[in-house]
Amino acid sequence: MTLTFAATPRTRSPEEPRPRSARGRAARRSLTGWGFAGPATLLVVGLSIFPAVWAFFISRTKWNGIAPATDVGWRNYQRIATDPDAIAAAQHTLVLTVLFVPGSILLGILIAVALNQKIRLIGFYRTCIFVPYVASAAATGILASFVFNPQFGAANEALRRLGLPAQQFLESPGQALIVICLIALWGEVGFCAVIYLAALQDIPKELVEAATVDGAGKWRVFRHITLPELRPVTVFTAIWQTITAMQLFDLIYTTTRGGPLNSTQTVVYYIYELAFQTQRLGYGAAVAYLLFAVTLLLTVGVIWYNRRSGSGAF
């Protein structure tokens, strides 16, 4: 009688070094990963991190881009608090943010609820809502300049047909910022609508069906089921739209150039004027860093409040 014994595989202890072949495969995998990620990493470092660090050193100097820079310490940052143009630009940016962010969120929710219905040509309607967002902001601004032209614009023509007086729109210091906000809403509300539409379709149908069976109407279902489920998306949208409003530049540049009478001059456009029109690069970099700090604090504050309230987002 012959006995045969099956060979049991030998297990390697964690302290035992890997074979050379295994180490070679791990090294090749690491090199392959860096081969794909390396160019993107260099691009981010070269075009984002390095210029940001360099701009910080510029913000502590007096420099026109040609002559040697003069170190002034923190005087550029101290000067911002007493600069009337910087204060006015901050006020305009604040008004624009207060009008734009809640408006875009509210319109986004309403449009998303409408686009979530089962109606004919729903794909066409969704495309029409999203097209303004993917269009260039420069093209949007140029088109809006014609629409809101006081002499031959389509907006005043519509007002005349309704028997209402013509308006100055972008040429009025009291109306220009509101019109800019409306144009920005037209271009950005498609983004909010698409985000909310995806979130609506991700809400468990069992919750809605259970609430309906218990006798809840559409409004109560929307208030007690839909809105709480949309809260994480609302936090993200609020942060994103706040950053968009505080960094608005291209729309201002193609419509009013900060006018009339600097009534639409935002912080970013003021930075552009300082750095590229008056060649005060050091002071412009200081204003830019202050804007970055305020944006960062607002973002962190919203995320902290959201976590404290226990919604579970971020």
Side-chain angles (χ1 to χ4, degrees), residues 178-195:
I178 298 177
V179 175
I180 289 293
C181 181
L182 293 176
I183 300 171
L185 283 174
W186 182 80
E188 293 288 336
V189 74
F191 171 79
C192 295
V194 169
I195 296 297

Side-chain angles (χ1 to χ4, degrees), residues 7 33 41 52 71 88 92 126 147 178 180 189 199 203-204 217 230 234 236 246 248 259 265-266 285 294:
T41 303
D71 187 16
H92 299 155
R126 292 174 180 175
V147 172
I178 298 177
I180 289 293
V189 74
I203 296 177
L230 293 179
T234 302
F236 164 77
M246 296 185 68
L248 188 66
Q265 186 182 64
T266 59
V294 172

